[in-house]
Amino acid sequence: MTSIYERITHQSVKGEQISPYLQKEGIYYERWSADRTPAFVQEKIAFSEEEKERLLAVYEDDVIRFAAQKGYTNWDIAVLSVDTPEMLQKFGSLHYHKEDEVRVVVGGKGVFIIKSLQREGYFELEVSIGDVVVVPQQRYHAFKLADDRKFAVIRLFTGEAGSVTYPAEDLSFHVKG
Ligand SMILES: CSCCC(=O)C(=O)O
Ligand SMILES: [Fe+2]
Ligand code: NI
């Protein structure tokens, strides 16, 4: 269930407060139907290439519509878990991109840690299957797994470079909070 936790104020934001909160923070958010998830997504941590293709296929119509609507030109699927320490390390470090970070959650749960526009510090956005999130270019953020230790997303890009990661410096940031 989507939720927000403000690290500085220790406030939580849930339910219908989520959309207005993210709008004020400049984070695009929408919900897609999550009732199309193939059974293997719940049962496994790592997916075969064939399973990744199957997962992309069940979202393909929505992905094509969304890409056309927002001008994204290509997409792929990324699966993070305790079995992908290098990706966890890379995305767990504070960073930004020079294009939007566009993620459709198609498996598991995850936490985006995003630098607030409204106040000092960072807020944590926990997302799950069906959540669509766009972290705008240049925005400082990081990522960590949630309690079910795996996270599968469809990533949409505007350029061939994909989402190149640029390290960000902020001494007040700690991925654990
Ligand atoms: C793998 S989705 C979220 C992690 C992230 O910040 C990124 O992909 O750049
Ligand atoms: Fe990122
Ligand atoms: Ni520290």
Side-chain angles (χ1 to χ4, degrees), residues 95 97 101 141:
H95 66 278
H97 308 285
E101 171 168 306
H141 66 283

Side-chain angles (χ1 to χ4, degrees), residues 91 95-97 101 103 112 135 141-143 163 165:
F91 298 133
H95 66 278
Y96 64 92
H97 308 285
E101 171 168 306
R103 301 291 183 266
F112 288 90
V135 178
H141 66 283
F143 172 83
S163 87
T165 299

Side-chain angles (χ1 to χ4, degrees), residues 156-168:
L156 291 92
F157 306 106
T158 46
E160 288 314 311
S163 87
V164 177
T165 299
Y166 296 86

Side-chain angles (χ1 to χ4, degrees), residues 13 17 20 22 27 59 61 79 81 85 94 96 100 105-106 110 125-126 131 135 147 150 161 167 171:
V13 178
Q17 304 305 319
L22 292 175
I27 304 295
Y59 287 88
D61 293 351
V79 183
S81 73
L94 195 63
Y96 64 92
D100 285 353
V105 185
V106 296
L125 170 62
E126 179 167 311
D131 285 331
V135 178
D147 52 13
K150 80 162 178 276
L171 294 179

